[in-house]
Amino acid sequence: MKKNILKISLLGIVTGLLNGLFGSGGGTLLVPGMIFLLKTEVHKAHATAISIILPLTFISTIIYFKSGIINYEITLKVASGGIIGSYIGAKLLNKIPTNWLRKIFALFMMIAAFRMVF
């Protein structure tokens, strides 16, 4: 049991650090971390990652707000579309087979990594 608590705590710390530094890391680290380290079922890992990201993002947003580094015009426009997209995505999650979900997520991560490097 202590081993699992250590894994969970380290996963949380690293995820929070990445979220604070880069504004991401929640899904890209949490989902594989929960699947491979904690042996969480794929659909549950995706859903759980979203619920973990919310409080992390809230804390980071407060700090960014106090620093005055948020572009509110972009925030409002992207958030409006993001709300619609997240609703659709959450409704679709349980309709996508596990093997497809893993492949889609992996493809998304590879494309994101490629774009960040090049």
Side-chain angles (χ1 to χ4, degrees):
M1 185 65 166
K2 284 187 179 183
K3 206 182 234 187
N4 233 14
I5 291 171
L6 182 62
K7 286 181 188 178
I8 292 168
S9 297
L10 287 174
L11 186 59
I13 290 168
V14 174
T15 299
L17 180 66
L18 291 176
N19 189 67
L21 281 173
F22 304 120
S24 70
T28 55
L29 180 69
L30 277 174
V31 172
M34 285 188 286
I35 291 170
F36 299 115
L37 293 175
L38 305 177
K39 308 298 181 209
T40 305
E41 190 267 321
V42 174
H43 287 84
K44 286 186 180 185
H46 283 272
T48 303
I50 293 299
S51 67
I52 293 168
I53 293 166
L54 180 62
L56 303 181
T57 303
F58 182 73
I59 297 300
S60 297
T61 300
I62 290 170
I63 294 168
Y64 298 153
F65 176 78
K66 287 181 178 180
S67 299
I69 58 174
I70 297 174
N71 182 324
Y72 294 103
E73 183 180 344
I74 292 173
T75 299
L76 292 173
K77 290 175 182 175
V78 173
S80 297
I83 289 168
I84 294 166
S86 66
Y87 177 83
I88 294 167
K91 289 290 190 179
L92 289 175
L93 178 65
N94 282 330
K95 295 180 179 172
I96 300 172
T98 299
N99 63 334
W100 276 96
L101 191 59
R102 288 178 85 143
K103 290 174 184 172
I104 293 167
F105 185 72
L107 181 63
F108 173 76
M109 288 181 60
M110 287 188 294
I111 290 169
F114 181 80
R115 291 193 47 100
M116 294 293 286
V117 172
F118 299 104

